[in-house]
Amino acid sequence: MLTAEDLAAWANNFPSIILKFFRPASNIVFHMDSWGISMSSLTPEYIVIPEWDGVTKQLQTMLDFSNDTPDVLLTVQGEAGVGKTRLVFESIKDLPQASSLVVYTSDENLAIQAATMMINYPGVTSILVADECSLQARQNLKNILQGHSNRIRVIAIDNTGERPSDLTYQFWLEKMAPELLIGVLEKNYLYVPKERLQIYAKLSGGFVRLAADLSLNDTRIAIEGHVGAGLPNIRDYYMSRLSLEERKVLEAISLFNKVGYKQDVKEEIQFLCNLLRLDQQVVLETARRLHGSRICRLCRKIYVCNTGTYCSCSF
């Protein structure tokens, strides 16, 4: 007879299942379904990029536990906003084991903690996607998980450009071609005239996230008087898109490739805030809000939530 205790013991072998059904919503750790909601907020319709097909195939091969792998960790690198995380998500979302195995986090310290816990439970099988994962964190993960690739595999995503001397099992994504980026915008923003999408694609410099944000705010841009010729330059949009407080935070953080804000590196954000006379709590809250913002699929307004695709307009 199968008992609740048997089911609990089985579920404990799959961290993603525990996270999905038995843990409260989190803004730093996601199971496959909640990660997907976040991924599709700006561009619900995904366009396959032929140049990235090789990366997709390698990801899928690596995450098939019936295959041996040369390393427990595979790294996908590229500049911020080119589409790395979305590519990883789309590459693995339809794998048979994805919904029960995948755990995603953009906190590298948490990824290391998760890996450490996983190796202490021999029955655990998991695919860990570690976003914003530095070279040092990747090396730590590889050291921790050495010898456990038969049941744990890691996809690390990084935009710092830091690479070890051994470049095997790493991929670098270049910005997609302009015609492909315009195709992405056309499929997701049907209400925006093509000539304006072309302008946004050019202004974005090839970065999908920025191009999508420009397209999303087309009506706002037009109301502010930028019609026909689009925006004179991206700085005008930046000044209009973010409040003064948000700009202060973003500009402060952008002085560095990475700023620590907790545990043994929390002094970094403290030093930065003291130097620029910023309120540390305001900086952290603003950064989290900007990083975790989504677009409501009903009213198309920006909101912050990790559990659904609609803001309060639907309630």
Side-chain angles (χ1 to χ4, degrees):
M1 178 181 294
L2 187 65
T3 66
E5 184 177 352
D6 296 324
L7 289 174
W10 170 81
N12 280 329
N13 292 325
F14 303 95
S16 183
I17 292 178
I18 296 297
L19 183 64
K20 183 174 183 179
F21 294 104
F22 304 107
R23 293 288 185 269
S26 169
N27 63 354
I28 53 175
V29 183
F30 299 87
H31 55 75
M32 196 70 194
D33 291 344
S34 60
W35 180 30
I37 292 171
S38 178
M39 280 294 90
S40 61
S41 62
L42 273 176
T43 51
E45 298 295 329
Y46 181 71
I47 304 294
V48 174
I49 309 302
E51 291 85 348
W52 298 350
D53 189 52
V55 181
T56 293
K57 290 179 179 177
Q58 187 64 60
L59 283 167
Q60 293 173 343
T61 299
M62 188 260 194
L63 296 179
D64 183 346
F65 284 94
S66 66
N67 296 326
D68 291 330
T69 177
D71 201 329
V72 70
L73 183 147
L74 183 151
T75 302
V76 178
Q77 292 187 304
E79 294 182 85
V82 300
K84 302 183 299 298
T85 306
R86 183 63 180 270
L87 173 68
V88 171
F89 173 79
E90 295 293 337
S91 298
I92 66 179
K93 70 180 179 67
D94 292 327
L95 295 177
Q97 69 271 34
S99 62
S100 59
L101 296 184
V102 174
V103 174
Y104 169 89
T105 180
S106 58
D107 185 317
E108 62 179 28
N109 293 318
L110 194 58
I112 292 171
Q113 293 175 29
T116 303
M117 288 188 290
M118 288 174 185
I119 65 170
N120 288 323
Y121 294 90
V124 166
T125 301
S126 185
I127 295 170
L128 176 62
V129 180
D131 208 342
E132 301 183 26
C133 191
S134 66
L135 174 59
Q136 184 60 56
R138 299 198 301 273
Q139 291 175 331
N140 289 341
L141 285 168
K142 291 170 70 172
N143 291 337
I144 292 169
L145 296 173
Q146 186 176 7
H148 297 275
S149 62
N150 62 315
R151 61 187 182 89
I152 302 171
R153 308 238 169 129
V154 180
I155 302 299
I157 305 170
D158 175 45
N159 57 32
T160 65
E162 300 174 309
R163 305 191 191 188
S165 55
D166 179 7
L167 298 181
T168 59
Y169 235 45
Q170 296 193 63
F171 296 94
W172 179 271
L173 297 189
E174 298 291 345
K175 290 178 286 189
M176 65 179 66
E179 60 272 16
L180 290 173
L181 178 53
I182 293 172
V184 171
L185 299 179
E186 286 181 326
K187 194 163 185 178
N188 285 279
Y189 297 96
L190 302 176
Y191 57 89
V192 181
K194 183 175 181 177
E195 61 271 17
R196 292 177 69 79
L197 293 178
Q198 292 173 333
I199 292 170
Y200 298 148
K202 183 177 180 180
L203 281 173
S204 72
F207 293 100
V208 183
R209 192 183 307 163
L210 178 55
D213 195 84
L214 284 159
S215 303
L216 175 71
N217 287 276
D218 177 71
T219 301
R220 174 180 176 179
I221 292 170
I223 290 175
E224 293 182 358
H226 300 296
V227 182
L231 289 170
N233 55 64
I234 201 65
R235 183 178 184 279
D236 288 350
Y237 181 66
Y238 168 70
M239 298 296 288
S240 170
R241 177 69 170 77
L242 301 178
S243 68
L244 176 61
E245 194 66 48
E246 290 171 336
R247 294 200 303 272
K248 285 182 179 179
V249 171
L250 189 60
E251 289 164 9
I253 295 175
S254 67
L255 292 172
F256 306 91
N257 287 331
K258 180 169 290 189
V259 179
Y261 67 96
K262 62 181 181 179
Q263 296 181 2
D264 57 336
V265 292
K266 63 182 180 182
E267 292 82 5
E268 294 181 14
I269 194 69
Q270 293 172 351
F271 175 79
L272 178 63
C273 292
N274 290 337
L275 180 66
L276 301 179
R277 297 181 181 179
L278 298 173
D279 185 305
Q280 181 176 332
Q281 190 60 35
V282 171
V283 169
L284 292 175
E285 290 176 355
T286 303
R288 289 191 183 102
R289 184 176 70 252
L290 292 175
H291 186 272
S293 61
R294 296 184 181 170
I295 309 302
C296 175
R297 292 189 180 178
L298 189 61
C299 71
R300 306 302 291 173
K301 291 182 179 179
I302 296 173
Y303 73 107
V304 180
C305 177
N306 295 304
T307 58
T309 58
Y310 304 102
C311 69
S312 58
C313 73
S314 60
F315 304 135

